[in-house]
Amino acid sequence: MTSSPVVVAVDVGGTEIKAALVRGPEPTVLRQLRRATPKLAGGTETADAVVAEVAGIVGELSAGEEPAAVGVVVPGIVDDERRIGVFSANLGWRDYPFGEALAARLPGPLAFGHDVRAGGLAEARLGAGRGLDDLVVLPIGTGIAGALIIGGRPHSGGGYAGEIGHLVIADGPECACGQRGCLELIASSSAVARRYAERTGRSVTGAADVAAALREGDADAKLVWGDAVDALARAITQLATLFAPQAVVLGGGLAMAGELLTAPLERRLDGLITIQRRPELRRAALGDRAGCLGAALMAIEAVSFLEGR
Amino acid sequence: MTSSPVVVAVDVGGTEIKAALVRGPEPTVLRQLRRATPKLAGGTETADAVVAEVAGIVGELSAGEEPAAVGVVVPGIVDDERRIGVFSANLGWRDYPFGEALAARLPGPLAFGHDVRAGGLAEARLGAGRGLDDLVVLPIGTGIAGALIIGGRPHSGGGYAGEIGHLVIADGPECACGQRGCLELIASSSAVARRYAERTGRSVTGAADVAAALREGDADAKLVWGDAVDALARAITQLATLFAPQAVVLGGGLAMAGELLTAPLERRLDGLITIQRRPELRRAALGDRAGCLGAALMAIEAVSFLEGR
């Protein structure tokens, strides 16, 4: 067990829980499953139900054998050190003591953290960021989150770091966060879809439809997409000014557009980056498995730490 | 020597070199001196002359005894790992191999780095940031630099991190860096003095004069100072959004204004900070000794490292 511990990794998402039985240290996935995330009326009830579901999943995946450790990551604002789910807009909890609640129901040591930072860790160690020390992993989906990997480790800032979607980029509409002109109101996948639908009156199912329209030369798609690219380039320039990452790893729905996103983004950066170290743009490699793999890495690391290696 | 090494620390500034003989591990300053920085026509000649001057100072301060290590910090863009002075606008060098040049002329091991990050390290360990893990040290003088201290260590980003003065804050004049609307064009000490002089036609010797006018209710001073406070508050909000420091330590000339700066800055942050972790504002404690103390800490750390402690 010492050289190749078997752990269970669980990534609790807004709609789905992804879990895997994983053998370290590589890690190698032995078995995996997905379940709907339980959602109840109250946030604390939802969190209690998530804990129960996670305990069930761990039992099921480890099939009676005790895993060397369990890694669990959750969304929202997460205080990794105190092991608290500070806030989840989607699942409704506030200051829920996940560490305590999970430890009471799970065998062995627990590694607890944040889904986006765990996903960033996995991209850094196993995916698009392999070999780099300083990078930003930027999943662009319904919102825009970010994992700042510094010296190979996610920076947490008490749970508050990496809120790149709430960088104020331009005059713009009011955001749910209380600021105006946040990046994610212009450049998230859902913002791109919403802004296109508002301009054209046409209903779209997501940013992929806007990308398809753009490929056909649609002028409204061009404008909305251009705004998103410009806002992303400005945010990446701010990151370069402050953090100087070696690379920015683009993930989530919008990054599925590939060259359609990265080519104009590189061109826009040509005009914005001056004295800053220019970050390489890379596509995320691990897709929606990143969070679960990150949870596995955290669990494997907990085992190594406990074994004093 | 092992438990209390004696090192020489040297902080090369744009106009002055500050140096000290320091006993670790506290550190305790045993002797210190200041010298004018040699400036020659070419950047490489200047760098050569700086290296010769540093070697002379080290010999003088250590008075024949060999120091356990020497710490040297220089301004500009500095690649700590490769020990290269990438660029100094003020002293004119580009890609100068300080590590190699200094090692050839100095006894014992060398710790080499960046003046602002070294100063930030000193504030974090010995000054206003004691007890904190994550902070930003922000000297506001002719320009605005920044040291990002993450998990108690300065983050270098290959030498490019912490260029807070070049965050784009608002539409504004063109900056020497090639961007428009950089923070330091509005909120550095020299920008405050320049903008006030431009508005009023009155000549001022520095931001302290503008602060004095502000205390007397001068309307132009109020406007210029207000712009600086607003721009600083916006930059600190960006820092809080991305990095979530526990504190921002204000130093340099503008911070000498004390409450006159911090009180309106706190009020402006009240209106800007929403979901971010609000950083505490602190005044720098070490003044212009910070860089030299940081160089001493780096040298002491080099000794500890070499002794495997």
Side-chain angles (χ1 to χ4, degrees):
Chain A
M1 189 200 79
T2 54
S3 58
S4 54
V6 173
V7 304
V8 176
V10 186
D11 175 12
V12 177
T15 55
E16 201 180 41
I17 297 177
K18 302 175 189 75
L21 184 74
V22 177
R23 180 182 304 279
E26 310 311 340
T28 311
V29 173
L30 305 175
R31 266 203 295 282
Q32 53 191 318
L33 60 79
R34 296 183 178 221
R35 289 285 155 73
T37 304
K39 282 192 199 184
L40 304 180
T44 300
E45 285 85 329
T46 295
D48 286 341
V50 163
V51 167
E53 184 69 36
V54 169
I57 288 171
V58 171
E60 193 175 330
L61 275 175
S62 52
E65 303 238 3
E66 188 165 312
V70 176
V72 179
V73 300
V74 304
I77 294 174
V78 176
D79 185 333
D80 310 47
E81 274 180 38
R82 297 192 305 137
R83 300 177 162 211
I84 284 173
V86 177
F87 176 64
S88 165
N90 209 333
L91 295 170
W93 59 65
R94 279 186 188 274
D95 292 321
Y96 185 85
F98 275 101
E100 213 176 289
L102 286 165
R105 309 222 18 188
L106 293 177
L110 169 72
F112 176 76
H114 182 234
D115 58 353
V116 174
R117 284 191 291 280
L121 177 69
E123 286 289 352
R125 297 265 177 88
L126 312 169
R130 247 189 300 190
L132 301 181
D133 293 320
D134 300 328
L135 63 149
V136 175
V137 180
L138 209 58
I140 308 175
T142 313
I144 301 180
L148 271 49
I149 310 292
I150 298 176
R153 305 202 62 84
H155 169 59
S156 137
Y160 290 87
E163 289 289 349
I164 295 164
H166 297 286
L167 275 180
V168 172
I169 293 300
D171 274 345
E174 197 165 321
C175 181
C177 80
Q179 304 181 111
R180 300 184 75 85
C182 288
L183 174 66
E184 72 178 35
L185 295 180
I186 308 164
S188 67
S189 301
S190 44
V192 166
R194 177 183 42 76
R195 296 184 81 229
Y196 181 79
E198 280 168 10
R199 275 190 76 81
T200 61
R202 276 168 246 154
S203 81
V204 290
T205 57
D209 290 356
V210 184
L214 179 66
R215 281 196 187 90
E216 285 160 22
D218 179 306
D220 294 302
K222 203 169 167 183
L223 194 139
V224 165
W225 198 265
D227 285 351
V229 165
D230 183 67
L232 279 172
R234 288 178 190 279
I236 289 170
T237 301
Q238 305 283 54
L239 280 169
T241 304
L242 293 177
F243 274 97
Q246 294 158 296
V248 172
V249 174
L250 303 165
L254 209 68
M256 306 284 273
E259 283 281 301
L260 206 60
L261 178 66
T262 53
L265 196 49
E266 293 279 12
R267 282 198 299 276
R268 193 68 194 90
L269 287 174
D270 289 342
L272 290 172
I273 293 274
T274 59
I275 55 163
Q276 299 87 351
R277 169 152 80 165
R278 181 169 179 150
E280 199 184 321
L281 299 184
R282 296 186 180 188
R283 288 270 304 279
L286 304 176
D288 71 356
R289 301 172 305 134
C292 190
L293 285 168
L297 289 172
M298 290 161 58
I300 291 165
E301 199 164 86
V303 176
S304 304
F305 178 77
L306 290 168
E307 289 177 354
R309 281 184 295 131
Chain B
M1 190 201 77
T2 53
S3 58
S4 53
V6 173
V7 303
V8 175
V10 187
D11 175 12
V12 177
T15 55
E16 201 181 41
I17 297 177
K18 302 177 189 76
L21 184 74
V22 176
R23 181 183 302 281
E26 312 306 344
T28 310
V29 174
L30 304 175
R31 265 201 295 282
Q32 53 190 318
L33 61 79
R34 296 185 178 220
R35 290 283 155 75
T37 304
K39 283 193 199 182
L40 304 180
T44 300
E45 286 85 329
T46 295
D48 287 340
V50 162
V51 167
E53 184 68 36
V54 168
I57 288 171
V58 170
E60 192 176 332
L61 275 175
S62 51
E65 303 238 3
E66 189 165 311
V70 176
V72 180
V73 300
V74 304
I77 294 175
V78 176
D79 185 332
D80 311 46
E81 274 179 38
R82 298 191 306 138
R83 299 176 162 211
I84 284 173
V86 177
F87 176 64
S88 164
N90 209 333
L91 296 171
W93 60 64
R94 278 185 188 276
D95 292 322
Y96 185 85
F98 275 101
E100 215 175 287
L102 286 165
R105 311 222 16 188
L106 294 177
L110 170 72
F112 176 76
H114 182 235
D115 58 352
V116 174
R117 284 192 290 279
L121 177 69
E123 287 289 352
R125 296 265 176 88
L126 312 168
R130 247 188 300 189
L132 302 181
D133 294 320
D134 300 329
L135 62 150
V136 176
V137 181
L138 209 58
I140 309 175
T142 312
I144 302 180
L148 272 49
I149 310 291
I150 299 177
R153 305 204 61 85
H155 168 60
S156 137
Y160 291 86
E163 290 288 348
I164 296 164
H166 297 285
L167 276 179
V168 173
I169 292 301
D171 274 345
E174 198 166 318
C175 181
C177 81
Q179 304 182 110
R180 300 184 75 85
C182 289
L183 174 65
E184 71 177 35
L185 294 180
I186 308 164
S188 67
S189 301
S190 44
V192 166
R194 177 182 44 76
R195 296 184 81 229
Y196 181 79
E198 281 168 9
R199 275 190 77 79
T200 61
R202 276 168 246 155
S203 81
V204 290
T205 57
D209 291 357
V210 183
L214 180 66
R215 281 195 185 90
E216 285 160 21
D218 180 307
D220 293 302
K222 203 169 165 180
L223 195 139
V224 166
W225 198 265
D227 284 351
V229 164
D230 183 67
L232 280 172
R234 288 179 189 279
I236 290 170
T237 301
Q238 305 284 54
L239 281 169
T241 303
L242 291 178
F243 167 45
Q246 293 158 296
V248 173
V249 174
L250 302 165
L254 209 69
M256 305 284 273
E259 283 280 300
L260 205 61
L261 179 65
T262 52
L265 196 49
E266 293 279 12
R267 282 197 300 277
R268 193 67 194 92
L269 287 173
D270 289 343
L272 289 172
I273 293 275
T274 59
I275 54 162
Q276 298 87 351
R277 169 151 80 164
R278 182 169 179 149
E280 199 185 321
L281 298 184
R282 297 188 179 185
R283 287 270 303 280
L286 304 175
D288 69 359
R289 302 173 303 134
C292 190
L293 285 167
L297 289 171
M298 289 161 58
I300 292 165
E301 200 164 86
V303 177
S304 305
F305 179 77
L306 289 168
E307 289 178 353
R309 281 184 294 131

